[in-house]
Amino acid sequence: MGGEKENILVSACLLGVNCRYDGGNGRQESLIRLIEKYNFIPVCPEQLGGLETPREPAEQIIKVVTGDHDEIRVVDRSGKDVTDSFIKGAEETLKLARLYGCKRAILKERSPSCGHGCIYDGTFSGTKVPGDGVTARLLEENGILVSGESSIESF
């Protein structure tokens, strides 16, 4: 099957789909140019989890739980807990990755779903901290290599 293009999951907003929390997108021309080399499988975990567009911005917070682990929650700016929607979206994204045989993903950096290595800290102050979004974490736990849009040149 030598000539087949690899399927790669891609955050739909990076492809120009208006699915970001603010109704906009984060179109990356350098990514669009790679469509000659790869089959892109566009995903928006927030929409797959049932959230509307536009929607309140959301960030991850960590609640310390008694025992040996911390509980991660995702809340929107008004304080509504949207963790279940983010988990559902991550699970649906993983289903698509498996369905299409994706071994890699290019996801929106700093997102509470798609962020990889750096996300916002949950204070809605613009402060960034080390961490992964809900979807990025689930994909990596299942053997899918996750990259952000700033790594596009390495593809």
Side-chain angles (χ1 to χ4, degrees):
M1 298 222 184
E4 286 191 31
K5 296 193 281 186
E6 176 185 1
N7 291 339
I8 298 179
L9 277 181
V10 178
S11 290
C13 63
L14 297 177
L15 298 173
V17 176
N18 294 329
C19 58
R20 282 175 30 124
Y21 73 91
D22 60 3
N25 68 71
R27 184 180 170 102
Q28 297 287 313
E29 291 304 322
S30 56
L31 178 61
I32 303 296
R33 286 191 285 277
L34 291 176
I35 205 154
E36 299 291 326
K37 262 176 98 171
Y38 302 101
N39 291 319
F40 293 147
I41 311 303
V43 294
C44 178
E46 289 95 338
Q47 287 184 340
L48 289 169
L51 296 174
E52 297 176 349
T53 300
R55 57 190 166 273
E56 287 282 319
E59 294 186 5
Q60 287 188 38
I61 59 170
I62 297 175
K63 293 182 176 180
V64 177
V65 177
T66 54
D68 60 353
H69 71 282
D70 295 337
E71 179 184 10
I72 295 173
R73 307 302 294 166
V74 183
V75 297
D76 69 18
R77 182 176 283 152
S78 64
K80 179 180 175 191
D81 188 322
V82 290
T83 305
D84 289 345
S85 294
F86 276 72
I87 291 170
K88 179 182 180 199
E91 291 169 345
E92 294 299 312
T93 300
L94 178 60
K95 284 181 194 174
L96 287 169
R98 288 177 171 158
L99 179 67
Y100 286 99
C102 299
K103 305 225 181 313
R104 297 193 288 171
I106 301 171
L107 302 179
K108 179 70 186 109
E109 294 173 351
R110 297 174 299 281
S111 157
S113 283
C114 297
H116 179 257
C118 179
I119 57 174
Y120 292 106
D121 71 350
T123 64
F124 297 93
S125 65
T127 304
K128 298 172 206 145
V129 295
D132 294 319
V134 177
T135 298
R137 187 171 36 257
L138 182 64
L139 292 175
E140 285 212 319
E141 287 171 355
N142 284 275
I144 297 169
L145 178 65
V146 176
S147 301
E149 71 266 23
S150 63
S151 302
I152 292 169
E153 286 73 32
S154 67
F155 278 78

